[in-house]
Amino acid sequence: MRIAASLIALMFLAACAATTPNSAPQPSGPAAPAAPVTSRLAQMLNAAGRADAPTQAEIVRAFGPADIERQDGAGAALTYRYNNCALLLLFAADSRNAMRLAQSYPSARRAGEAAPSLDQCASEADARRRS
């Protein structure tokens, strides 16, 4: 319970953009979106919460260094800021103490805009990585 409260607190602390009261971030998890996932980065994000979720080191190798990084007990949070998307990634230690992606939250970078999907954030991350 303490870890969950810490991760939620990290999520609020690491938020990069102000959101309107009706635009809460949509969590990803085992229930992946119906649309087919095309990029490797999107597949990594959609694996959040599963036993085979990527480790924190794998995420950093794929996405590059985070804009904001926080460590709190058995949890960690990475925030990536792109032009139209802020991506909050929460990690929790697995049974072997490997930090695995537990949740991912995309949000808009500007107040009043709708939150992008994980696939849109992954596309923006891929574009930045290739440039």
Side-chain angles (χ1 to χ4, degrees), residues 110-130:
R110 291 166 199 77
E113 291 184 359
S117 69
L118 280 175
D119 290 337
Q120 290 169 322
C121 278
S123 294
E124 200 166 343
D126 196 38
R128 180 200 281 181
R129 189 178 64 130
R130 292 175 190 248

Side-chain angles (χ1 to χ4, degrees), residues 6 29 33 35-36 45-46 48-49 54 56 58 60 64-65 68-69 73 77 80 96-97 104 112 115-116 124:
S6 296
L45 294 176
N46 283 305
Q56 185 174 355
E58 291 169 337
V60 171
I68 300 171
E69 185 173 346
Y80 291 90
R96 295 183 178 177
N97 283 333
S104 51
E124 200 166 343

Side-chain angles (χ1 to χ4, degrees), residues 16-73:
C16 292
T19 58
T20 60
N22 295 333
S23 63
Q26 298 298 317
S28 72
V37 177
T38 55
S39 77
R40 184 172 77 85
L41 298 182
Q43 290 173 350
M44 291 176 84
L45 294 176
N46 283 305
R50 298 190 326 217
D52 65 342
T55 64
Q56 185 174 355
E58 291 169 337
I59 290 289
V60 171
R61 268 194 304 277
F63 285 79
D67 295 302
I68 300 171
E69 185 173 346
R70 295 197 189 273
Q71 192 79 29
D72 184 31

